[in-house]
Amino acid sequence: MLSFINKHSAPLLMVAGIIGFIFPNVSKTVFPALPFILFFLMLFTLLGIKQEQLIKQLMRSSVWGYACLHSIGLTLIAASLLWLLNAPTSLFIAVTAVTATGTLFATPAIAKTLGYDVLHAMALTIASTLMMPLVLFINLTLLQDDAVKLDLVEYIQRLVIFIIGPMAISSICYNTINREKLVYIHGQLSKFTVLLIFAFPLGLVSPLREMFNRSFNDGLYYLMLGMLLCVVFFTVTFLCYYRYNKANATLFAITATNRNVLLTYTIASSYLGTEYLALMAAIQIPTYALPVIVKARARLKPITKHRAQKSRITYSSRMSYSAFTVT
């Protein structure tokens, strides 16, 4: 059963979001447990990473270049689109809060299910999370009339609990447990890691259903807006990196799309209205649909390549036969 879930994790994550939308009470029940689930998800993921290697990765300029694109670059692009559409200030605040948001802490585990480098994904996640309060503060200051004061105490607590704490525990484990035994333990835990990821699309989507219950048109509007944002995040990031880093372009794009919207709401809830809550929920299903598209595209590539090669062989054979006939 676990092997089946791991193999088909991408479509099942999308299904989890759909289930949360259809059964909002289930989503609301899961929601309070998300912080606890996230802690163990980060811990299980970090157990497979040497912390010295992670710190070295965080020192790379390319990681911080990505963080700037993730937060600042995508904010400017989204704000430009909203300006062209003459969007109201409340929507500006909601969208730019999402664009300032760091990568979802569960992204490294998601990257692993898709076969990408967990270490790299973790470095990108941490860098974008550290950029988030500065960009969020600037965005809110420009769009709010009142003075902005973020709950940085809550933000630091979250960093300690979900990043620094698991990193410290992982480092202790690497220094005290036999390496072969640790690899075995991590291998066993990895089988269950994907189960923890399902809680996020399942537990975050209920506000979208509530929006649909109040007004179908408003719900559909925010769902379409969420889809548009996800497509913009993915496409812009993929195109920015495809020319220079084809191997990891998809990883960068997925990392840019997965947003830790709950952390942003935690530290700036007094400035974010119902629009942000609706948008926070609206991006969940499109976000988890993207890995499905990525996997489907990866499967189609060999088939397309094989057909192209077969067509070339057939064409060459016909040309050779024609030449032989003429001769």
Side-chain angles (χ1 to χ4, degrees):
M1 186 65 178
L2 282 174
S3 60
F4 174 83
I5 292 171
N6 276 276
K7 186 178 179 181
H8 302 283
S9 57
L12 290 175
L13 283 168
M14 185 178 68
V15 170
I18 295 169
I19 290 171
F21 178 80
I22 296 170
F23 304 103
N25 289 333
V26 175
S27 181
K28 290 176 183 177
T29 303
V30 173
F31 181 79
L34 290 181
F36 304 98
I37 294 169
L38 182 56
F39 172 79
F40 286 105
L41 182 63
M42 288 294 286
L43 178 60
F44 294 167
T45 305
L46 282 163
L47 278 176
I49 298 173
K50 283 186 178 180
Q51 301 313 298
E52 295 84 356
Q53 292 178 353
L54 178 57
I55 292 168
K56 283 181 182 178
Q57 192 86 337
L58 279 167
M59 296 297 177
R60 293 175 60 185
S61 59
S62 60
V63 170
W64 292 99
Y66 162 80
C68 288
L69 171 65
H70 178 105
S71 299
I72 302 170
L74 292 174
T75 290
L76 292 173
I77 291 169
S80 300
L81 291 173
L82 290 171
W83 180 76
L84 289 171
L85 295 171
N86 198 25
T89 303
S90 58
L91 192 59
F92 257 98
I93 292 171
V95 171
T96 55
V98 171
T99 56
T101 298
T103 300
L104 182 68
F105 289 152
T107 300
I110 295 170
K112 185 178 181 181
T113 65
L114 295 171
Y116 291 105
D117 183 7
V118 178
L119 176 64
H120 197 188
M122 185 64 76
L124 298 176
T125 300
I126 294 172
S128 63
T129 302
L130 293 175
M131 284 280 292
M132 185 266 280
L134 175 61
V135 180
L136 180 62
F137 177 80
I138 294 170
N139 291 353
L140 291 176
T141 301
L142 292 173
L143 294 167
Q144 294 269 358
D145 295 327
D146 301 327
V148 175
K149 187 178 179 182
L150 302 179
D151 190 348
L152 292 181
V153 173
E154 184 72 27
Y155 171 75
I156 292 168
Q157 285 177 349
R158 298 262 170 169
L159 283 186
V160 170
I161 294 168
F162 299 120
I163 293 180
I164 299 172
M167 283 179 70
I169 294 170
S170 175
S171 182
I172 292 167
C173 290
Y174 262 93
N175 292 319
T176 57
I177 301 175
N178 178 272
R179 190 58 49 84
E180 290 181 3
K181 187 178 287 186
L182 185 62
V183 169
Y184 173 77
I185 293 169
H186 179 254
Q188 294 302 307
L189 290 173
S190 295
K191 296 175 183 177
F192 298 93
T193 301
V194 70
L195 296 177
L196 300 179
I197 304 173
F198 286 107
F200 292 92
L202 181 63
L204 288 172
V205 78
S206 63
L208 179 64
R209 176 57 188 271
E210 290 172 2
M211 181 65 78
F212 266 95
N213 289 342
R214 286 195 297 269
S215 169
F216 178 83
N217 289 337
D218 287 349
L220 187 61
Y221 170 79
Y222 278 100
L223 180 59
M224 296 301 291
L225 181 59
M227 290 173 66
L228 176 62
L229 281 177
C230 288
V231 169
V232 168
F233 294 160
F234 188 92
T235 306
V236 169
T237 310
F238 182 83
L239 292 176
C240 284
Y241 282 99
Y242 182 75
R243 184 177 175 183
Y244 305 103
N245 197 338
K246 290 182 182 179
N248 286 317
T250 305
L251 172 62
F252 285 113
I254 290 171
T255 308
T257 308
N258 289 348
R259 301 266 163 168
N260 196 353
V261 285
L262 190 57
L263 176 59
T264 299
Y265 187 73
T266 301
I267 69 170
S269 57
S270 57
Y271 305 103
L272 304 174
T274 54
E275 293 87 355
Y276 180 81
L277 283 172
L279 198 54
M280 179 179 81
I283 65 172
Q284 297 306 313
I285 295 174
T287 293
Y288 291 98
L290 283 171
V292 178
I293 297 168
V294 169
K295 275 201 165 185
R297 181 174 169 272
R299 287 198 190 102
L300 284 172
K301 261 190 171 181
I303 296 170
T304 308
K305 190 176 180 181
H306 174 72
R307 285 177 179 173
Q309 288 176 343
K310 192 175 179 181
S311 298
R312 281 197 296 270
I313 291 167
T314 305
Y315 179 75
S316 299
S317 300
R318 286 176 180 173
M319 289 297 290
S320 299
Y321 177 76
S322 300
F324 175 77
T325 307
V326 171
T327 305

